[in-house]
Amino acid sequence: MTRFLGYGRQTIDDIDIQAVVDVLKSDFLTQGPAVTAFEKSIADLTGAKYVVAVANGTAALHIACLAAGLKDGDVGVTQPVTFCASANAITYCGARADLVDIDPETMTMSVDGLTAYLADHPECKVVIPVSYGGLSSSNAALRKAAGDRIIIEDASHSVGAIGEDGNMVGTGYADMYTFSFHPVKPITTGEGGAVATDDPDLYKALQLLRSHGIEREPGLLQNTEDAGKPWYHEQQVLGFNYRLCDIQAALGTAQMSRLPAFIARRREIAIFYDREFAGMNHVRLVQARPDQRDRSGHHLYTIRIDYDAVGKPREQVMKELAERQVGSQVHYIPVHRMPYHAPRFEGRSFPESDAYYAETLTLPCFPTLTDDEAAQVVAAVRGVLGS
Ligand SMILES: *Cc1c(COP(=O)(O)O)cnc(C)c1O
């Protein structure tokens, strides 16, 4: 094998490079037309009414939580198997980040778990399920369990994927959907993120929070005496500078035009892997039901390995794969095991998340992975596991 294969990798071609160069030669590097065009490209693909592009996926989660009204002393809930940002966003608002275990069939928040949790914690205000690996959690049962609480889907893995309700991720059962455009994610802007919503009030709040809380539209100003004067604007709430710049946004629009093709290629690789790994000893597939493969964005390709039965600890398996040029990773160390969050979860257990953490391994899956490389990944796993 000639190149080392990471678990994920961006796809950049001449269209992307030209789009960035065009912005660099234009009048606006930030706060120009490229951001609006990027937001429109996301709205067009997902069907969401409104999209607010921001500096990264964590900022998207933060302003979504604030727009949901989360504040000091409140409680928000997410799932243990996620990147820590899903919980941190709740904490940034001064609220307590709590957890509900996953459903191992879907890897998103367990509906039964949420129902039981909310019966004990009716004060919980915001629910953040994660579309792990690109498989959206969108389902009517979760909506019903959440009642009239705000649902924010952490859709960092799943822009371009389809929800269980048949909608593109970005519109449907949740009040807001947050995306990340980090280079390993489905499309990239270097760093970047966005929030999608169908709700005009949430949209207005998100726009304010993205840019210092400053309002410029004359009709929406509180100080009517100065409204309409050419310099006049108002800071109405405490917002942030979470803006995406035009250079990043132009890259994003170029990437969005190829997102369906990126996902189609990821899907081919995932289905090839499913077939190859299905019969291997000590290996279990994840999110591999045909109906799941049909709608997922295939952001992460993971398998569950019984390392005890194999007779090698995970670190040894990862090392031997790396010697064969195959990178691997673990997604994720559960939130309740992070030293920062752990003290709040002493004495509580999340058995499905812990079992998944003990077994999971993420293997290379990205649009430019070739058929030969995918076959080499399979051969390397077979060799290392002795299956
Ligand atoms: C990547 C990711 C984030 C954070 O996104 P950034 O753009 O890196 O800030 C949040 N949640 C999940 C599940 C992610 O994978």
Side-chain angles (χ1 to χ4, degrees), residues 6-19:
Y7 79 85
R9 188 187 159 78
Q10 70 274 16
T11 304
I12 298 292
D13 68 22
D14 290 344
I15 302 174
D16 301 298
I17 293 166
Q18 192 55 51

Side-chain angles (χ1 to χ4, degrees), residues 49-50 150 174-176 196-206:
K49 283 209 180 91
Y50 309 106
I150 296 271
D175 300 279
M176 289 175 272
T197 184
D198 285 344
D199 182 316
D201 297 330
L202 290 173
Y203 175 56
K204 187 72 228 170
L206 293 165

Side-chain angles (χ1 to χ4, degrees), residues 1 3-7 269 272-273 276-277 280 301 303 321 324-328 361-366 369-385:
M1 201 177 289
R3 63 170 175 168
F4 185 86
L5 303 172
Y7 79 85
I269 296 164
F272 167 74
Y273 281 159
E276 296 293 318
F277 292 130
M280 261 187 218
Y301 188 88
I303 52 176
L321 285 174
R324 290 163 162 84
Q325 299 285 82
V326 173
S328 59
L361 198 66
T362 305
L363 296 171
C365 183
F366 49 87
L369 192 80
T370 66
D371 289 352
D372 281 350
E373 287 170 334
Q376 283 166 310
V377 170
V378 171
V381 172
R382 185 174 282 123
V384 170
L385 300 186

Side-chain angles (χ1 to χ4, degrees), residues 82-350:
T82 185
F83 183 58
C84 56
S86 320
N88 293 348
I90 297 169
T91 314
Y92 294 158
C93 301
R96 182 161 61 82
D98 215 337
L99 298 171
V100 164
D101 207 357
I102 55 164
D103 175 345
E105 272 292 300
T106 61
M107 304 302 303
T108 193
M109 190 179 281
S110 155
V111 174
D112 291 345
L114 180 64
T115 304
Y117 175 83
L118 292 176
D120 288 345
H121 298 88
E123 76 282 11
C124 173
K125 248 181 153 166
V126 171
V127 179
I128 308 183
V130 180
S131 38
Y132 178 90
L135 186 66
S136 174
S137 43
S138 90
N139 70 65
L142 194 79
R143 173 78 264 173
K144 193 155 170 260
D148 56 10
R149 293 173 181 83
I150 296 271
I151 297 180
I152 302 167
E153 179 168 308
D154 181 344
S156 296
H157 300 178
S158 59
V159 65
I162 300 168
E164 205 174 288
D165 55 12
N167 292 312
M168 297 292 291
V169 174
T171 184
Y173 83 115
D175 300 279
M176 289 175 272
Y177 299 78
T178 67
F179 303 127
S180 165
F181 309 126
H182 180 277
V184 299
K185 304 290 163 82
I187 62 149
T188 191
T189 58
E191 295 277 1
V195 187
T197 184
D198 285 344
D199 182 316
D201 297 330
L202 290 173
Y203 175 56
K204 187 72 228 170
L206 293 165
Q207 280 184 312
L208 275 182
L209 289 162
R210 163 176 64 182
S211 199
H212 308 284
I214 288 176
E215 183 59 76
R216 292 178 185 281
E217 265 184 61
L220 295 172
L221 297 173
Q222 291 169 9
N223 179 353
T224 46
E225 203 174 311
D226 287 330
K229 293 181 180 166
W231 72 89
Y232 190 69
H233 59 265
E234 277 176 2
Q235 186 198 345
Q236 297 181 340
V237 299
L238 185 61
F240 304 86
N241 179 354
Y242 276 170
R243 293 187 304 263
L244 192 74
C245 76
D246 281 46
I247 305 167
Q248 295 167 302
L251 174 56
T253 305
Q255 292 261 304
M256 279 304 289
S257 68
R258 277 134 55 233
L259 177 58
F262 291 169
I263 291 179
R265 176 59 187 156
R266 286 176 177 274
R267 180 168 187 270
E268 282 176 0
I269 296 164
I271 287 173
F272 167 74
Y273 281 159
D274 287 345
R275 208 182 314 126
E276 296 293 318
F277 292 130
M280 261 187 218
N281 287 332
H282 316 310
V283 170
R284 272 197 293 158
L285 304 182
V286 178
Q287 299 179 330
R289 285 192 339 237
D291 64 298
Q292 294 176 326
R293 286 289 174 225
D294 279 351
R295 59 187 186 81
S296 178
H298 318 285
H299 166 62
L300 297 174
Y301 188 88
T302 62
I303 52 176
R304 298 178 74 143
I305 299 173
D306 183 343
Y307 299 100
D308 288 342
V310 169
K312 290 178 188 175
R314 178 161 51 195
E315 53 274 28
Q316 182 70 21
V317 168
M318 291 178 74
K319 182 168 164 283
E320 292 182 21
L321 285 174
E323 285 162 6
R324 290 163 162 84
Q325 299 285 82
V326 173
S328 59
Q329 235 334 323
V330 174
H331 295 97
Y332 291 92
I333 301 162
V335 171
H336 63 278
R337 289 172 170 265
M338 291 294 181
Y340 174 77
H341 292 285
R344 291 199 315 283
F345 299 102
E346 265 171 39
R348 288 175 60 193
S349 79
F350 302 93

